[in-house]
Amino acid sequence: MVDVLVTNGPWLIGIAALFGFLMAWGIGANDVANAMGTSVGSNAITIKQAIIIAMIFEFAGAYLAGGEVTSTIRKGIIDSTFFIEQPELLVYGMIASLLAAGLWLIAASALGWPVSTTHSIVGAIVGFAAVGVGTDAVEWGKVGGIVGSWVVTPAISGFIAFMIFQSVQKLIFNTDNPLENAKRYVPFYMALAGFVMALVTIKKGLKHVGLHFNNLEAYSLAIAIAALVGIGGMIAIKRLKMDKKADRQTQFGNVEKVFAILMVVTACCMAFAHGSNDVANAIGPLAAVVSVVNSGGEISSKAPLVWWILPLGAVGIVLGLAIFGKRVMQTIGKNITHLTPSRGFAAELAAASTVVIASGTGLPISTTQTLVGAVLGVGMARGIAAINIGVVRNIVVSWVVTLPAGAALSIMFFFMIKGIFN
């Protein structure tokens, strides 16, 4: 059946490119809105500013650090040996998966549900492989790990966010002189943020550019950056003109202004790390299709990227965010719990820390679930009444539905595409 690939090759690549773009659009509309939602929700930046920041840093992350080579099948979810006899099935399946995951993400974004793009594409790939090829083609242990991460990831990031925010309360807000204490302690938070963000960027971003650091180098570099950020922060805060005799409310407002600046920095780093990491959800399956078609049916575990694939993914992400990202931003930033810059900062720092921990231990992780967990943790620090339970319930339901929804759609599309081309 390899002649199907030869006769319809350009068509298959064209359709895959279109659906890959759709998937990248969905990632932009849904996932990037997560990275920016806390900053917008706490009024640290406006939606317009968030879109501009995300455009620059997501594009840079996806384009510079998205990698020369991408793993064709994310996280080894399916066993490619099952497709050696019929490589065209892998091509149909990947095209179906991109369409299924892309449509699901766009539907979820329209409803304002922050779902996981990784889980959408994984669900889709598992679906077509289990039904279209055989249940043995799926590595079920890996799928189990992903389901387990639904509980583990939000729990870790929620706990870290809770602790960070509690410490901000104790050291700064609940004291007699919040402003003086902010000047004293905020540089340490800045250094901590610098450390975590440097690690995220080094571990997630730069390894794709061909800059490889061993752990010792990575950590020493991150510590050096943290020290610089802390010192810079100390100088910047000393320069701020603030009235020492102001009442507590005014002092609180001034302290929040400091955290607002911090949030913008964390948002930029998160966008860069996210672009470098998640663009693979859109371009991995696309690269698989291109490499199988171009090689006349040969399947490899890593596919070199054709020049147009990365920009396609990067542009798709940016457009999806700009045109369709508002609703998910609203959910994360405003609807779960009321965020101020200090709370948003605690949530974002916790989410980034969890990403570092997960990439160190190899936990399969969803940036979305990490951030939602962190926002919940910050809400919890103010008591359960501060959380909008209805919104949280909808989010959890949407997470559970993502894998089966992706799977069901991709099974349907798989048989349709197979019917058209065979």
PDB file of all heavy atoms in Angstrom, residues 250-265:
ATOM      1  N   THR A 250      -2.556  52.141  51.159  1.00  0.00           N
ATOM      2  CA  THR A 250      -1.668  52.708  50.129  1.00  0.00           C
ATOM      3  C   THR A 250      -0.381  51.906  50.058  1.00  0.00           C
ATOM      4  O   THR A 250       0.148  51.630  48.974  1.00  0.00           O
ATOM      5  CB  THR A 250      -1.338  54.182  50.467  1.00  0.00           C
ATOM      6  OG1 THR A 250      -2.516  54.794  50.981  1.00  0.00           O
ATOM      7  CG2 THR A 250      -0.874  54.928  49.234  1.00  0.00           C
ATOM      8  N   GLN A 251       0.129  51.526  51.235  1.00  0.00           N
ATOM      9  CA  GLN A 251       1.357  50.716  51.262  1.00  0.00           C
ATOM     10  C   GLN A 251       1.136  49.387  50.548  1.00  0.00           C
ATOM     11  O   GLN A 251       1.980  48.953  49.761  1.00  0.00           O
ATOM     12  CB  GLN A 251       1.780  50.462  52.712  1.00  0.00           C
ATOM     13  CG  GLN A 251       2.310  51.692  53.413  1.00  0.00           C
ATOM     14  CD  GLN A 251       3.185  51.325  54.615  1.00  0.00           C
ATOM     15  OE1 GLN A 251       3.656  50.208  54.735  1.00  0.00           O
ATOM     16  NE2 GLN A 251       3.404  52.287  55.494  1.00  0.00           N
ATOM     17  N   PHE A 252      -0.022  48.757  50.820  1.00  0.00           N
ATOM     18  CA  PHE A 252      -0.343  47.497  50.137  1.00  0.00           C
ATOM     19  C   PHE A 252      -0.312  47.698  48.622  1.00  0.00           C
ATOM     20  O   PHE A 252       0.245  46.892  47.886  1.00  0.00           O
ATOM     21  CB  PHE A 252      -1.740  46.994  50.532  1.00  0.00           C
ATOM     22  CG  PHE A 252      -1.785  46.343  51.883  1.00  0.00           C
ATOM     23  CD1 PHE A 252      -3.000  46.174  52.546  1.00  0.00           C
ATOM     24  CD2 PHE A 252      -0.628  45.883  52.491  1.00  0.00           C
ATOM     25  CE1 PHE A 252      -3.049  45.565  53.797  1.00  0.00           C
ATOM     26  CE2 PHE A 252      -0.672  45.267  53.744  1.00  0.00           C
ATOM     27  CZ  PHE A 252      -1.879  45.115  54.388  1.00  0.00           C
ATOM     28  N   GLY A 253      -0.934  48.798  48.181  1.00  0.00           N
ATOM     29  CA  GLY A 253      -0.983  49.091  46.746  1.00  0.00           C
ATOM     30  C   GLY A 253       0.414  49.201  46.167  1.00  0.00           C
ATOM     31  O   GLY A 253       0.698  48.676  45.082  1.00  0.00           O
ATOM     32  N   ASN A 254       1.300  49.856  46.906  1.00  0.00           N
ATOM     33  CA  ASN A 254       2.678  50.029  46.424  1.00  0.00           C
ATOM     34  C   ASN A 254       3.427  48.703  46.368  1.00  0.00           C
ATOM     35  O   ASN A 254       4.202  48.451  45.456  1.00  0.00           O
ATOM     36  CB  ASN A 254       3.431  51.012  47.320  1.00  0.00           C
ATOM     37  CG  ASN A 254       2.952  52.432  47.097  1.00  0.00           C
ATOM     38  OD1 ASN A 254       2.455  52.755  46.033  1.00  0.00           O
ATOM     39  ND2 ASN A 254       3.071  53.274  48.103  1.00  0.00           N
ATOM     40  N   VAL A 255       3.171  47.848  47.386  1.00  0.00           N
ATOM     41  CA  VAL A 255       3.824  46.528  47.403  1.00  0.00           C
ATOM     42  C   VAL A 255       3.350  45.712  46.194  1.00  0.00           C
ATOM     43  O   VAL A 255       4.143  45.066  45.505  1.00  0.00           O
ATOM     44  CB  VAL A 255       3.508  45.775  48.715  1.00  0.00           C
ATOM     45  CG1 VAL A 255       4.029  44.351  48.639  1.00  0.00           C
ATOM     46  CG2 VAL A 255       4.128  46.504  49.903  1.00  0.00           C
ATOM     47  N   GLU A 256       2.035  45.787  45.913  1.00  0.00           N
ATOM     48  CA  GLU A 256       1.494  45.049  44.770  1.00  0.00           C
ATOM     49  C   GLU A 256       2.138  45.505  43.462  1.00  0.00           C
ATOM     50  O   GLU A 256       2.356  44.714  42.550  1.00  0.00           O
ATOM     51  CB  GLU A 256      -0.035  45.198  44.679  1.00  0.00           C
ATOM     52  CG  GLU A 256      -0.808  44.485  45.785  1.00  0.00           C
ATOM     53  CD  GLU A 256      -0.724  42.963  45.719  1.00  0.00           C
ATOM     54  OE1 GLU A 256      -0.048  42.422  44.826  1.00  0.00           O
ATOM     55  OE2 GLU A 256      -1.325  42.308  46.581  1.00  0.00           O
ATOM     56  N   LYS A 257       2.454  46.807  43.379  1.00  0.00           N
ATOM     57  CA  LYS A 257       3.101  47.329  42.156  1.00  0.00           C
ATOM     58  C   LYS A 257       4.431  46.624  41.913  1.00  0.00           C
ATOM     59  O   LYS A 257       4.798  46.313  40.783  1.00  0.00           O
ATOM     60  CB  LYS A 257       3.338  48.832  42.279  1.00  0.00           C
ATOM     61  CG  LYS A 257       2.122  49.654  41.909  1.00  0.00           C
ATOM     62  CD  LYS A 257       2.434  51.142  41.984  1.00  0.00           C
ATOM     63  CE  LYS A 257       1.146  51.947  42.004  1.00  0.00           C
ATOM     64  NZ  LYS A 257       1.277  53.169  42.792  1.00  0.00           N
ATOM     65  N   VAL A 258       5.162  46.370  43.018  1.00  0.00           N
ATOM     66  CA  VAL A 258       6.456  45.687  42.898  1.00  0.00           C
ATOM     67  C   VAL A 258       6.242  44.271  42.354  1.00  0.00           C
ATOM     68  O   VAL A 258       6.940  43.810  41.450  1.00  0.00           O
ATOM     69  CB  VAL A 258       7.157  45.622  44.280  1.00  0.00           C
ATOM     70  CG1 VAL A 258       8.472  44.864  44.162  1.00  0.00           C
ATOM     71  CG2 VAL A 258       7.396  47.026  44.813  1.00  0.00           C
ATOM     72  N   PHE A 259       5.222  43.588  42.912  1.00  0.00           N
ATOM     73  CA  PHE A 259       4.946  42.217  42.452  1.00  0.00           C
ATOM     74  C   PHE A 259       4.467  42.203  41.000  1.00  0.00           C
ATOM     75  O   PHE A 259       4.711  41.249  40.271  1.00  0.00           O
ATOM     76  CB  PHE A 259       3.913  41.547  43.358  1.00  0.00           C
ATOM     77  CG  PHE A 259       4.521  40.967  44.598  1.00  0.00           C
ATOM     78  CD1 PHE A 259       4.347  41.583  45.831  1.00  0.00           C
ATOM     79  CD2 PHE A 259       5.292  39.816  44.536  1.00  0.00           C
ATOM     80  CE1 PHE A 259       4.933  41.044  46.978  1.00  0.00           C
ATOM     81  CE2 PHE A 259       5.870  39.274  45.676  1.00  0.00           C
ATOM     82  CZ  PHE A 259       5.687  39.892  46.896  1.00  0.00           C
ATOM     83  N   ALA A 260       3.784  43.278  40.599  1.00  0.00           N
ATOM     84  CA  ALA A 260       3.290  43.349  39.216  1.00  0.00           C
ATOM     85  C   ALA A 260       4.467  43.300  38.233  1.00  0.00           C
ATOM     86  O   ALA A 260       4.406  42.624  37.207  1.00  0.00           O
ATOM     87  CB  ALA A 260       2.468  44.615  39.008  1.00  0.00           C
ATOM     88  N   ILE A 261       5.562  44.014  38.579  1.00  0.00           N
ATOM     89  CA  ILE A 261       6.743  44.006  37.704  1.00  0.00           C
ATOM     90  C   ILE A 261       7.318  42.591  37.629  1.00  0.00           C
ATOM     91  O   ILE A 261       7.676  42.091  36.563  1.00  0.00           O
ATOM     92  CB  ILE A 261       7.818  44.985  38.243  1.00  0.00           C
ATOM     93  CG1 ILE A 261       7.251  46.399  38.275  1.00  0.00           C
ATOM     94  CG2 ILE A 261       9.078  44.937  37.384  1.00  0.00           C
ATOM     95  CD1 ILE A 261       8.057  47.371  39.115  1.00  0.00           C
ATOM     96  N   LEU A 262       7.361  41.945  38.810  1.00  0.00           N
ATOM     97  CA  LEU A 262       7.881  40.570  38.867  1.00  0.00           C
ATOM     98  C   LEU A 262       7.089  39.627  37.969  1.00  0.00           C
ATOM     99  O   LEU A 262       7.650  38.773  37.295  1.00  0.00           O
ATOM    100  CB  LEU A 262       7.746  40.057  40.303  1.00  0.00           C
ATOM    101  CG  LEU A 262       8.939  40.221  41.205  1.00  0.00           C
ATOM    102  CD1 LEU A 262       8.603  39.640  42.569  1.00  0.00           C
ATOM    103  CD2 LEU A 262      10.124  39.471  40.619  1.00  0.00           C
ATOM    104  N   MET A 263       5.751  39.808  38.004  1.00  0.00           N
ATOM    105  CA  MET A 263       4.886  38.908  37.242  1.00  0.00           C
ATOM    106  C   MET A 263       5.159  38.977  35.751  1.00  0.00           C
ATOM    107  O   MET A 263       5.066  37.986  35.043  1.00  0.00           O
ATOM    108  CB  MET A 263       3.430  39.305  37.460  1.00  0.00           C
ATOM    109  CG  MET A 263       2.901  38.807  38.729  1.00  0.00           C
ATOM    110  SD  MET A 263       1.155  38.630  38.550  1.00  0.00           S
ATOM    111  CE  MET A 263       1.076  37.172  37.580  1.00  0.00           C
ATOM    112  N   VAL A 264       5.452  40.182  35.275  1.00  0.00           N
ATOM    113  CA  VAL A 264       5.704  40.344  33.849  1.00  0.00           C
ATOM    114  C   VAL A 264       6.934  39.520  33.447  1.00  0.00           C
ATOM    115  O   VAL A 264       6.952  38.832  32.434  1.00  0.00           O
ATOM    116  CB  VAL A 264       5.894  41.833  33.481  1.00  0.00           C
ATOM    117  CG1 VAL A 264       6.193  41.970  32.005  1.00  0.00           C
ATOM    118  CG2 VAL A 264       4.624  42.606  33.836  1.00  0.00           C
ATOM    119  N   VAL A 265       7.958  39.544  34.321  1.00  0.00           N
ATOM    120  CA  VAL A 265       9.179  38.781  34.037  1.00  0.00           C
ATOM    121  C   VAL A 265       8.881  37.281  34.036  1.00  0.00           C
ATOM    122  O   VAL A 265       9.300  36.555  33.124  1.00  0.00           O
ATOM    123  CB  VAL A 265      10.273  39.106  35.083  1.00  0.00           C
ATOM    124  CG1 VAL A 265      11.539  38.330  34.783  1.00  0.00           C
ATOM    125  CG2 VAL A 265      10.563  40.600  35.085  1.00  0.00           C
TER     126      VAL A 265
END
